Amino acid sequence: MADVRLLGITQRYGEEVTLRLPDLELDWGQQVALLGPSGSGKTTLLHILAGLRLPSQGEVWVGGQDLTQLSEAQRDAYRRSTVGYLFQDFYLAEGYSALENVLLGLGVAGIRGRAAQGRAAEVLTQLGLGQRLGHAPRHLSTGERQRVALARAVAHRPRLLLADEPTAHLDRARATTALDLLTQTAASLRALLVVATHDPWVMARFPQQIELSSPPSAPVQEEAR
Ligand code: ADP
Ligand code: MG
């Protein structure tokens, strides 16, 4: 049986929006692009896999447990141990250095003290930030900020690595680097990597794809004249 399975998921947002997500079967170590136009439910699907959101209906099986049957505390524990999430807008803590940002993430995962210090410095160094450990996010470039966010997402060695539009803020050269780092990091962790994107160029780099269609309630795009 697949390591990660979504079954019969619907997500309602108020009266207006009902998303029906496709059934999925994915395994640790796979790398897939999650495609679809804006509003098709990519972020919702990542949140559901991460245990950040409970779907309105359906089952979310990860490594033999259905997340929808867990208590909130159990879901928190699942997220901390199993999930690495690269947020579209990074969400770095501005008052803290690059190293401290990664330490904060490790602390949430229950890894503290010397072990955490060593791990944080090691991951940042592997991602090319060895000379930036003490820098605050505002003194880093966008590409560097994203790499701090990636270091924080992977330092606790998650099995499930989720990235939401990881190239949205980057030019092509930096986007290439970011995708290389994501795929290499996921491979070294033997993690399942799911990268949400609406960019065909990003999609083309992944051999496997999950495609979401736009919801019936989505506004029709006007054609360019
Ligand atoms: P995508 O990431 O593909 O752009 P989302 O998962 O963010 O799609 O959103 C899918 C649909 O759900 C959209 O129509 C969006 O407006 C709606 N939606 C997402 N999050 C919320 C929310 N917190 N409250 C209300 N509607 C939401
Ligand atoms: Mg989104």
Side-chain angles (χ1 to χ4, degrees):
M1 196 168 287
D3 297 316
V4 174
R5 289 185 299 145
L6 289 187
L7 290 174
I9 301 288
T10 62
Q11 180 70 61
R12 275 191 291 281
Y13 289 112
E15 307 270 288
E16 300 284 298
V17 179
T18 302
L19 293 169
R20 265 176 245 293
L21 300 178
D23 289 359
L24 293 179
E25 296 207 346
L26 299 165
D27 286 311
W28 305 135
Q30 261 185 287
Q31 303 194 347
V32 298
L34 174 63
L35 307 167
S38 183
S40 60
K42 300 182 297 295
T43 298
T44 300
L45 196 158
L46 293 186
H47 282 177
I48 288 171
L49 281 176
L52 287 165
R53 165 177 291 286
L54 273 181
S56 308
Q57 272 179 30
E59 299 169 17
V60 185
W61 290 88
V62 181
Q65 56 184 6
D66 179 0
L67 302 188
T68 67
Q69 300 302 310
L70 301 182
S71 68
E72 209 169 313
Q74 288 171 321
R75 245 183 317 127
D76 279 350
Y78 156 76
R79 197 168 53 241
R80 290 166 183 190
S81 65
T82 309
V83 178
Y85 201 105
L86 186 60
F87 289 95
Q88 182 166 3
D89 294 315
F90 312 158
Y91 292 137
L92 296 175
E94 285 299 334
Y96 297 86
S97 69
L99 186 73
E100 288 165 339
N101 266 275
V102 179
L103 287 172
L104 287 169
L106 282 169
V108 168
I111 303 166
R112 300 192 173 84
R114 277 266 194 90
Q117 291 275 344
R119 181 91 67 90
E122 182 190 344
V123 174
L124 284 163
T125 302
Q126 283 165 355
L127 293 174
L129 295 168
Q131 307 301 314
R132 298 282 188 275
L133 300 183
H135 284 52
R138 68 177 174 283
H139 294 133
L140 299 173
S141 71
T142 305
E144 288 172 336
R145 291 162 63 85
Q146 186 188 45
R147 279 184 279 152
V148 176
L150 178 59
R152 187 184 55 186
V154 302
H156 61 298
R157 298 181 183 147
R159 287 316 295 278
L160 184 53
L161 181 53
L162 307 171
D164 200 353
E165 307 274 3
T167 60
H169 301 294
L170 305 177
D171 62 35
R172 281 284 184 251
R174 286 192 173 70
T176 301
T177 307
L179 290 174
D180 287 346
L181 289 173
L182 264 173
T183 53
Q184 285 160 14
T185 308
S188 73
L189 295 168
R190 292 188 206 87
L192 166 60
L193 172 65
V194 183
V195 174
T197 185
H198 62 267
D199 184 342
W201 176 84
V202 175
M203 175 204 84
R205 295 181 41 116
F206 288 86
Q208 277 182 293
Q209 287 134 16
I210 303 161
E211 198 150 0
L212 303 181
S213 46
S214 39
S217 54
V220 176
Q221 299 259 324
E222 279 207 7
E223 276 191 42
R225 279 160 218 265

